Amino acid sequence: MSEGALRAHLLAARLAGPVATTREESLRSYRLFAARDPRVLLGLDPVGRWDEGALLGLMADRCGVSADPAQVSGPDVIDPGLTVAALGVFAERLREAAGARSPVLFGTGHPHRLLEFYATLAGALSAVGCVVLTPAQGVHVDMATRFGVREHRLDYVRGVALVREPGARGAGSATGAHTHSPLPVRLALGALAESGGPLPELVVGDHGWVCGAGQLGVEAIGLADTDDPALFVGEAEGRVAAVVPLDDAVRSAAYGPLTRFVLQRAGLPVRQEWP
């Protein structure tokens, strides 16, 4: 897939350009991040002083949102050129992991939308000899929800970690909870450390999976929307290796062309199924 074709798809699918995330949502996240609200820090402990103005400037630079603080409503905007460029960096890191046969951990807080994207990448890396790690499967973790703290469990689908709510369908199903929490990646990394098994040399995912891993010194790459400033701050401070700006909640099939683009750029098999 050419960069021009990818840009056209990003705009047509509203993965970039005007996106469904509103300016109000993004600005609210920047205010909460500036106040160090853990709900938007996603496990990151920022080193710098990130006030609302600094965050807006960073997000304008990394995502293409308007840098005008007077713009407070309407859809937010992502520059498709920045998305394409970041996907190239993302793919290069996967190429390096494949060449080194690195152990890799995948995890998502958006299983309904992004599971197929990550699972295809996991299958391709596994096919070239990387170990796709699945630690702490079935282990329970208490997580904050709008209904208070609820017990969830960690599960893996085609090599991709997600968490399930109480009463959700059983292991192996694609049903999972939407979460920003860094607790699942901390649990997974802790289980690997305790078992003496190989630790991941790369974590691939979103939300708390990326920030939580980066904060612990594990190289991490991922996807992030305009209302997820933590990943871009982590990238700016050197604790996240690559972040791709895009709408992370469109229909699952819309990410298919991005998957093919990344696999082609990384030199990985494009149609490899999970073993």
Side-chain angles (χ1 to χ4, degrees), residues 62-134:
R62 301 295 173 99
C63 296
V65 305
S66 172
D68 182 2
Q71 183 178 336
V72 296
S73 63
D76 227 332
V77 176
I78 296 174
D79 181 343
L82 294 175
T83 304
V84 172
L87 281 168
V89 177
F90 184 99
E92 182 57 32
R93 187 60 195 92
L94 291 179
R95 178 190 290 275
E96 293 170 1
R101 304 297 187 264
S102 301
V104 183
L105 176 65
F106 286 83
T108 182
H110 270 296
H112 300 87
R113 307 297 186 183
L114 294 172
L115 179 62
E116 186 62 31
F117 174 79
Y118 296 125
T120 303
L121 299 182
L125 286 175
S126 176
V128 299
C130 292
V131 175
V132 177
L133 300 166
T134 57

Side-chain angles (χ1 to χ4, degrees), residues 160-229:
V160 182
L162 50 81
V163 293
R164 300 190 193 282
E165 300 166 292
R169 291 160 61 186
S173 75
T175 302
H178 174 219
T179 178
H180 289 209
S181 176
L183 294 178
V185 74
R186 292 173 184 167
L187 175 67
L189 293 174
L192 286 169
E194 289 179 8
S195 70
L199 294 172
E201 295 176 13
L202 182 67
V203 171
V204 185
D206 45 62
H207 292 170
W209 285 93
V210 173
C211 289
Q215 182 64 36
L216 293 174
V218 181
E219 187 163 3
I221 61 176
L223 314 179
D225 209 332
T226 60
D227 60 349
D228 290 327

